[in-house]
Amino acid sequence: MGNNLRPGQPVREALTSQRINGIQDVLRALCRGDNVVAGPGVRKTNVGTATILTATPRGDSTASHPYRVSNASAGGAVAISVRLGLLNSIVPTLGGGDTIDASPAPTLGVGSDYDGWLILATDTNADGIATAADLFLAEEIPENTSARGHLPIARVQTVAGALVNLAANQLVFQTLRHRMCGAAQHDFWGV
Protein backbone atom coordinates (compact mmCIF):
# COMPACT_ATOMS: atom_id res chain seq x y z
CA MET A 1 0.00 0.00 0.00
CA GLY A 2 1.38 3.45 -0.97
CA ASN A 3 1.40 6.65 1.02
CA ASN A 4 -1.50 8.24 -0.84
CA LEU A 5 -5.08 7.14 -1.30
CA ARG A 6 -5.57 6.10 -4.93
CA PRO A 7 -8.81 6.62 -6.91
CA GLY A 8 -11.15 3.73 -6.21
CA GLN A 9 -9.16 2.52 -3.18
CA PRO A 10 -11.30 1.96 -0.07
CA VAL A 11 -10.63 4.53 2.67
CA ARG A 12 -10.28 1.79 5.31
CA GLU A 13 -7.08 0.61 3.57
CA ALA A 14 -5.50 4.07 3.99
CA LEU A 15 -6.56 4.53 7.62
CA THR A 16 -3.86 2.60 9.39
CA SER A 17 -3.16 3.00 13.09
CA GLN A 18 0.18 4.55 12.18
CA ARG A 19 -1.52 7.28 10.12
CA ILE A 20 -4.18 7.93 12.78
CA ASN A 21 -1.46 8.23 15.45
CA GLY A 22 0.43 10.66 13.19
CA ILE A 23 -2.68 12.83 12.76
CA GLN A 24 -3.18 12.85 16.55
CA ASP A 25 0.45 13.89 17.07
CA VAL A 26 0.03 16.81 14.65
CA LEU A 27 -3.18 17.92 16.40
CA ARG A 28 -1.49 17.76 19.82
CA ALA A 29 1.44 19.83 18.54
CA LEU A 30 -0.93 22.46 17.13
CA CYS A 31 -2.81 22.63 20.44
CA ARG A 32 0.50 23.12 22.30
CA GLY A 33 1.44 25.90 19.92
CA ASP A 34 4.50 24.06 18.64
CA ASN A 35 3.87 25.21 15.09
CA VAL A 36 3.06 28.83 15.93
CA VAL A 37 5.80 31.09 14.64
CA ALA A 38 6.10 34.58 16.09
CA GLY A 39 6.52 37.29 13.48
CA PRO A 40 7.51 40.97 13.72
CA GLY A 41 5.75 42.59 16.67
CA VAL A 42 4.63 39.27 18.20
CA ARG A 43 6.34 37.38 21.02
CA LYS A 44 5.56 33.68 21.67
CA THR A 45 5.88 32.29 25.20
CA ASN A 46 5.20 28.67 26.17
CA VAL A 47 3.96 28.29 29.74
CA GLY A 48 3.32 24.68 30.65
CA THR A 49 0.74 23.45 28.17
CA ALA A 50 -0.31 26.98 27.11
CA THR A 51 1.11 29.23 24.41
CA ILE A 52 0.83 32.98 24.97
CA LEU A 53 1.12 35.40 22.06
CA THR A 54 1.94 38.99 23.05
CA ALA A 55 2.07 42.04 20.79
CA THR A 56 5.29 43.96 21.24
CA PRO A 57 5.27 47.69 20.50
CA ARG A 58 7.57 49.04 17.83
CA GLY A 59 9.00 52.56 17.94
CA ASP A 60 5.79 54.57 17.72
CA SER A 61 3.21 52.71 19.79
CA THR A 62 0.37 54.99 18.68
CA ALA A 63 -2.19 53.02 16.72
CA SER A 64 -2.78 54.09 13.17
CA HIS A 65 -6.39 54.24 12.05
CA PRO A 66 -8.59 56.06 9.54
CA TYR A 67 -8.92 59.78 10.24
CA ARG A 68 -5.98 59.73 12.68
CA VAL A 69 -4.99 63.34 13.30
CA SER A 70 -1.22 63.84 13.52
CA ASN A 71 1.06 66.72 14.32
CA ALA A 72 2.53 68.02 11.05
CA SER A 73 4.09 71.17 12.47
CA ALA A 74 7.30 72.31 10.79
CA GLY A 75 9.46 75.41 10.86
CA GLY A 76 7.49 77.03 13.69
CA ALA A 77 4.15 76.74 11.86
CA VAL A 78 1.55 74.66 13.71
CA ALA A 79 -0.22 72.20 11.39
CA ILE A 80 -2.05 68.87 11.37
CA SER A 81 -2.43 66.08 8.85
CA VAL A 82 -5.15 63.44 8.67
CA ARG A 83 -4.68 59.76 7.77
CA LEU A 84 -6.81 58.43 4.95
CA GLY A 85 -10.40 57.63 5.87
CA LEU A 86 -13.38 57.34 3.54
CA LEU A 87 -16.97 58.52 3.67
CA ASN A 88 -19.20 56.33 1.47
CA SER A 89 -16.10 55.59 -0.68
CA ILE A 90 -15.40 59.35 -1.06
CA VAL A 91 -11.90 60.57 -0.17
CA PRO A 92 -12.33 63.88 1.71
CA THR A 93 -10.35 67.00 0.94
CA LEU A 94 -8.44 68.80 3.68
CA GLY A 95 -9.42 72.44 4.06
CA GLY A 96 -10.95 72.47 0.57
CA GLY A 97 -7.57 71.64 -0.99
CA ASP A 98 -5.99 68.28 -1.77
CA THR A 99 -7.64 64.98 -0.90
CA ILE A 100 -6.20 63.31 2.20
CA ASP A 101 -4.75 60.47 0.10
CA ALA A 102 -2.44 62.88 -1.77
CA SER A 103 1.31 62.42 -1.61
CA PRO A 104 2.90 64.13 0.18
CA ALA A 105 0.11 64.25 2.74
CA PRO A 106 -1.59 67.65 2.82
CA THR A 107 -1.48 69.69 6.01
CA LEU A 108 -3.87 72.17 7.58
CA GLY A 109 -2.50 75.16 9.47
CA VAL A 110 -3.70 75.77 13.03
CA GLY A 111 -3.52 79.06 14.94
CA SER A 112 -1.07 79.43 17.83
CA ASP A 113 -3.81 79.66 20.52
CA TYR A 114 -6.67 77.67 19.06
CA ASP A 115 -9.46 75.63 20.63
CA GLY A 116 -11.83 74.07 18.14
CA TRP A 117 -12.76 71.04 16.10
CA LEU A 118 -11.66 69.17 13.03
CA ILE A 119 -14.99 68.68 11.27
CA LEU A 120 -15.92 66.28 8.49
CA ALA A 121 -18.59 67.86 6.29
CA THR A 122 -20.51 66.02 3.61
CA ASP A 123 -22.46 67.61 0.81
CA THR A 124 -25.62 65.74 -0.16
CA ASN A 125 -27.81 65.80 -3.23
CA ALA A 126 -31.61 66.04 -3.26
CA ASP A 127 -31.86 62.28 -2.57
CA GLY A 128 -29.68 62.59 0.57
CA ILE A 129 -26.71 60.84 -1.08
CA ALA A 130 -23.22 62.06 -0.11
CA THR A 131 -21.54 63.68 -3.12
CA ALA A 132 -18.44 65.29 -1.56
CA ALA A 133 -16.59 65.43 1.75
CA ASP A 134 -14.22 67.98 3.29
CA LEU A 135 -12.29 68.22 6.56
CA PHE A 136 -11.90 71.69 8.03
CA LEU A 137 -11.28 73.48 11.33
CA ALA A 138 -14.07 75.31 13.15
CA GLU A 139 -14.36 76.75 16.65
CA GLU A 140 -17.99 75.55 16.85
CA ILE A 141 -19.67 72.54 15.25
CA PRO A 142 -21.89 73.90 12.46
CA GLU A 143 -25.60 73.10 12.28
CA ASN A 144 -26.65 70.46 9.77
CA THR A 145 -28.76 71.47 6.79
CA SER A 146 -30.56 69.48 4.13
CA ALA A 147 -27.54 69.95 1.84
CA ARG A 148 -24.67 69.55 4.32
CA GLY A 149 -24.00 67.34 7.34
CA HIS A 150 -21.21 67.75 9.92
CA LEU A 151 -19.36 65.32 12.18
CA PRO A 152 -16.59 66.28 14.62
CA ILE A 153 -13.53 64.09 14.02
CA ALA A 154 -11.21 65.44 16.74
CA ARG A 155 -10.78 68.30 19.15
CA VAL A 156 -7.81 70.44 18.12
CA GLN A 157 -6.16 72.62 20.73
CA THR A 158 -2.96 74.66 20.70
CA VAL A 159 -1.32 76.54 23.53
CA ALA A 160 1.52 78.95 22.84
CA GLY A 161 2.00 77.49 19.37
CA ALA A 162 2.07 73.82 20.40
CA LEU A 163 -0.57 71.16 19.77
CA VAL A 164 -2.09 69.71 22.94
CA ASN A 165 -2.92 66.01 23.40
CA LEU A 166 -4.16 65.09 19.91
CA ALA A 167 -4.56 61.35 20.60
CA ALA A 168 -6.80 61.85 23.65
CA ASN A 169 -9.05 64.21 21.70
CA GLN A 170 -9.64 61.83 18.77
CA LEU A 171 -13.36 60.99 18.35
CA VAL A 172 -13.46 58.92 15.15
CA PHE A 173 -11.36 55.78 14.53
CA GLN A 174 -13.04 54.15 11.52
CA THR A 175 -13.90 54.70 7.90
CA LEU A 176 -17.40 56.13 7.79
CA ARG A 177 -20.73 55.63 6.12
CA HIS A 178 -23.39 58.33 5.84
CA ARG A 179 -27.08 58.50 5.14
CA MET A 180 -29.58 61.30 5.42
CA CYS A 181 -32.87 60.80 7.24
CA GLY A 182 -35.35 63.64 7.17
CA ALA A 183 -34.84 67.30 6.37
CA ALA A 184 -31.52 67.86 8.17
CA GLN A 185 -30.69 64.66 10.04
CA HIS A 186 -27.42 63.14 8.93
CA ASP A 187 -26.44 59.73 10.32
CA PHE A 188 -22.77 58.69 10.37
CA TRP A 189 -21.45 55.28 11.46
CA GLY A 190 -18.15 53.41 11.35
CA VAL A 191 -17.41 50.39 9.20
Side-chain angles (χ1 to χ4, degrees), residues 66-67 84-92 100 120 174-177:
Y67 293 109
L84 176 62
L86 303 175
L87 176 77
N88 290 10
S89 300
I90 299 169
V91 178
I100 59 176
L120 174 65
Q174 298 173 302
T175 284
L176 298 168
R177 300 291 296 165

Side-chain angles (χ1 to χ4, degrees), residues 141-155:
I141 301 169
E143 292 290 324
N144 290 336
T145 67
S146 61
R148 195 164 173 97
H150 302 90
L151 179 70
I153 297 294
R155 182 108 190 182

Side-chain angles (χ1 to χ4, degrees), residues 51-182:
T51 299
I52 300 171
L53 298 177
T54 309
T56 56
R58 299 182 317 186
D60 178 14
S61 63
T62 307
S64 191
H65 53 77
Y67 293 109
R68 177 177 176 217
V69 181
S70 299
N71 186 346
S73 301
V78 182
I80 59 171
S81 64
V82 181
R83 187 173 186 273
L84 176 62
L86 303 175
L87 176 77
N88 290 10
S89 300
I90 299 169
V91 178
T93 59
L94 186 60
D98 291 332
T99 57
I100 59 176
D101 65 344
S103 183
T107 61
L108 189 58
V110 182
S112 63
D113 286 307
Y114 180 81
D115 187 4
W117 299 92
L118 177 67
I119 305 287
L120 174 65
T122 179
D123 296 330
T124 57
N125 63 20
D127 296 323
I129 307 293
T131 58
D134 182 44
L135 291 156
F136 64 92
L137 292 172
E139 290 182 13
E140 299 292 328
I141 301 169
E143 292 290 324
N144 290 336
T145 67
S146 61
R148 195 164 173 97
H150 302 90
L151 179 70
I153 297 294
R155 182 108 190 182
V156 178
Q157 298 169 302
T158 59
V159 174
L163 285 163
V164 178
N165 210 4
L166 276 177
N169 293 327
Q170 184 84 37
L171 301 174
V172 174
F173 300 91
Q174 298 173 302
T175 284
L176 298 168
R177 300 291 296 165
H178 167 271
R179 73 171 176 202
M180 190 171 161
C181 298

